[in-house]
Amino acid sequence: MKKLFIKTYGCQMNVYDSARIADLLTPLGYAAADAPDDADIVVLNTCHIREKAAEKVYSELGRLRRLKEERAEQGGRMLIAVAGCVAQAEGEEIARRQNAVDIVVGPQALHRLPEMIARVERSEGRVLETDFVPDEKFDALPAARADGPAAFLTVQEGCDKFCTFCVVPYTRGAEFSRPVAQIEAEAHRLVEHGVREITLLGQNVNAYCGAGPEGNSWSLARLLHRLAEIEGLERLRYTTSHPRDMNDDLIAAHRDLQKLMPYLHLPVQSGSDRVLEAMNRRHARDHYLRLVDKIRAARSDIALSSDFIVGFPGETDTDFEQTMALVREVKYPQAFSFKYSTRPGTPAAAARKQVPEQAKSERLQALQSLLAEQQADFAKSCEGLSMPVLFEKPGRKTGQAVGRSPYLQPVHVDDAEHLIGEIHDVTITRAMRNSLSGALTAVRPKGMAAA
Ligand code: SAH
Ligand code: SF4
Ligand code: F3S
């Protein structure tokens, strides 16, 4: 049996693609390897979003080259493939900088990987494919296999928004939505294999506009309503959303669909209109705040999450203060924040007023400590509450299981390993930094009054 090792960087869309790569190669006789050391093929599924993410790939390739050479000395062979967004953005450069790489494959061409491997094995030399063919990709991929009770399902790829800091429109190409029937079939199959929760994925998932059964285009809200009808599918989520595409029908779905979990990742990036404009976000601070009000009116307990960039070119202390003020106003149970990273080829990279590193660091620290405070406050407010938890995997302690709350927090529960794959009410006993502890909520026998 041949062995495959995949290392995944970046966002959930890459996690989904890595699982599909495994699905593609399993029928060819590849089994998962625990480490690159004993793999016949190593795939790095890469991320280009920030400079650090991209540079990691080159250092990993250096390590892999040494492994590959050792293997060759022992008379064996190891193939190295670079997939994902770095492959798309700088495939030629990878090939130039690291000659141990056999295959470079962009995210929209990954279904061609088996054929590319065959070509390398026939010793045709290095193979590089970076076409944008999302429709061909999804038609060609084998049925997704379930791996645990919670699954990702990509419904939309690419982005037409062109925020001035971002590489995604260049690495993933134009927006493309999969047809409803294809998504429904994948969801049904996942549920038949034990999946209870599906997170719909897209770089711009709420811009979803796939073809419905009659050929007319469906919104994300309509798709969610359809998927909510699937028996056995208990929970739905979707990510990542853009404020511009947060329409009323999608907001209403948070009120109307019990299965739609009360968590929404809605990145704002900055609280300053001046910066938002320069970022080409095409939404103002006020628009975002009004959206938040509407969403909370539809689903009062919704946990909002966001991404922030500090130190965008031209960001002043006053601009940054507006971001801090927005965070204080909204209050986020969860959020991600980054220093602006210059990405070659994006409009912001050419801006004259880059923010000094020192200011970026100070701002990031201030923002992160505020966000950490809010996250801790939210977690604390969960103590004593009983909430449904989907148990996903064993915990560190024997017998323990880890699941997710409706608000996406990891919840650790002792003596619950036998409940993996099921949803049970858990009373939260303790809030820790990044997770919660709880105990199964005692079920009161019928007819007994509360104490
Ligand atoms: N489509 C999503 C985000 C995709 S990228 C959206 O529009 O919100 C994930 C996050 O990475 C972004 O939200 C942004 O906060 C961050 N990011 C993107 N480009 C960046 C850059 N050049 N420097 C720092 N952070 C960046
Ligand atoms: Fe990037 Fe903006 Fe598109 Fe999000 S919406 S992927 S930040 S260009
Ligand atoms: Fe990274 Fe590509 Fe996702 S750049 S964040 S892996 S879309």
Side-chain angles (χ1 to χ4, degrees), residues 149-401:
F152 290 138
L153 200 174
T154 294
V155 301
Q156 184 269 350
E157 280 258 13
C159 180
D160 294 339
K161 296 278 191 296
F162 290 93
C163 300
T164 55
F165 51 81
C166 182
V167 294
V168 171
Y170 313 95
T171 62
R172 293 272 176 170
E175 259 173 46
F176 168 82
S177 297
R178 293 175 71 186
V180 172
Q182 205 184 60
I183 295 165
E184 246 190 304
E186 190 165 325
H188 271 288
R189 204 187 127 84
L190 289 169
V191 172
E192 278 159 23
H193 287 83
V195 167
R196 295 287 160 265
E197 173 181 303
I198 293 181
T199 303
L200 305 182
L201 298 181
Q203 268 90 13
N204 237 305
V205 74
N206 57 348
Y208 176 83
C209 58
E214 291 90 38
N216 53 335
S217 121
W218 279 34
S219 67
L220 183 67
R222 198 162 171 200
L223 178 67
L224 285 164
H225 274 274
R226 173 57 70 88
L227 296 177
E229 287 168 14
I230 299 178
E231 217 173 296
L233 178 58
E234 308 294 344
R235 293 174 156 198
L236 284 163
R237 304 178 186 274
Y238 61 93
T239 199
T240 292
S241 297
H242 193 288
R244 283 272 300 198
D245 297 310
M246 204 62 217
N247 298 330
D248 287 346
D249 63 339
L250 187 53
I251 295 176
H254 281 280
R255 181 193 62 214
D256 301 333
L257 285 178
Q258 275 311 307
K259 290 184 179 180
L260 188 55
M261 290 294 101
Y263 179 92
L264 178 64
H265 185 58
L266 192 65
V268 66
Q269 314 296 355
S270 167
S272 151
D273 278 336
R274 233 174 46 82
V275 173
L276 288 171
E277 170 94 41
M279 287 176 163
N280 190 32
R281 285 292 289 180
R282 294 186 284 170
H283 62 78
R285 172 197 178 93
D286 214 47
H287 170 82
Y288 184 85
L289 291 173
R290 271 185 288 122
L291 263 184
V292 168
D293 288 343
K294 270 197 199 173
I295 295 162
R296 285 186 171 148
R299 178 83 206 228
S300 59
D301 68 334
I302 201 155
L304 289 172
S305 147
S306 178
D307 293 338
F308 297 91
I309 294 179
V310 301
F312 183 80
E315 184 189 71
T316 61
D317 284 338
T318 317
D319 292 319
F320 175 66
E321 262 318 308
Q322 285 169 356
T323 299
M324 293 291 276
L326 180 135
V327 172
R328 279 187 211 104
E329 186 168 340
V330 176
K331 295 193 176 67
Y332 292 96
Q334 169 80 271
F336 306 89
S337 45
F338 315 97
K339 283 186 212 173
Y340 168 70
S341 167
T342 314
R343 306 312 289 128
T346 59
R352 268 177 293 122
K353 286 196 197 146
Q354 298 290 333
V355 173
E357 188 57 31
Q358 173 79 19
K360 282 189 197 173
S361 298
E362 284 168 14
R363 288 175 196 172
L364 187 68
Q365 210 175 28
L367 177 59
Q368 289 189 337
S369 66
L370 175 60
L371 291 169
E373 224 174 84
Q374 295 190 343
Q375 187 175 344
D377 287 348
F378 179 75
K380 202 91 196 140
S381 75
C382 293
E383 283 184 356
L385 299 182
S386 174
M387 54 182 78
V389 168
L390 170 59
F391 290 107
E392 292 182 17
K393 56 182 184 202
R396 276 209 206 108
K397 280 204 295 192
T398 316
Q400 196 184 51

Side-chain angles (χ1 to χ4, degrees), residues 87-138:
Q88 188 67 42
E90 43 190 75
E92 312 256 330
E93 189 180 340
I94 295 170
R96 205 177 51 246
R97 274 175 67 175
Q98 186 48 267
N99 58 18
V101 172
D102 301 288
I103 291 171
V104 174
V105 59
Q108 310 291 11
L110 61 85
H111 55 288
R112 297 183 183 159
L113 202 50
E115 170 211 323
M116 297 170 79
I117 295 172
R119 282 168 56 193
V120 174
E121 282 175 342
R122 287 199 303 269
S123 295
E124 289 179 23
R126 174 183 288 152
V127 194
L128 194 146
E129 295 251 16
T130 50
D131 291 351
F132 285 122
V133 279
D135 44 350
E136 183 188 303
K137 166 179 167 180
F138 288 110

Side-chain angles (χ1 to χ4, degrees), residues 2-23:
K2 291 180 281 186
K3 288 270 181 91
L4 162 72
F5 183 78
I6 308 177
K7 183 159 184 176
T8 309
Y9 303 83
C11 63
Q12 290 108 322
M13 310 223 26
N14 263 12
V15 175
Y16 178 84
D17 283 349
S18 289
R20 297 290 74 73
I21 293 173
D23 292 343

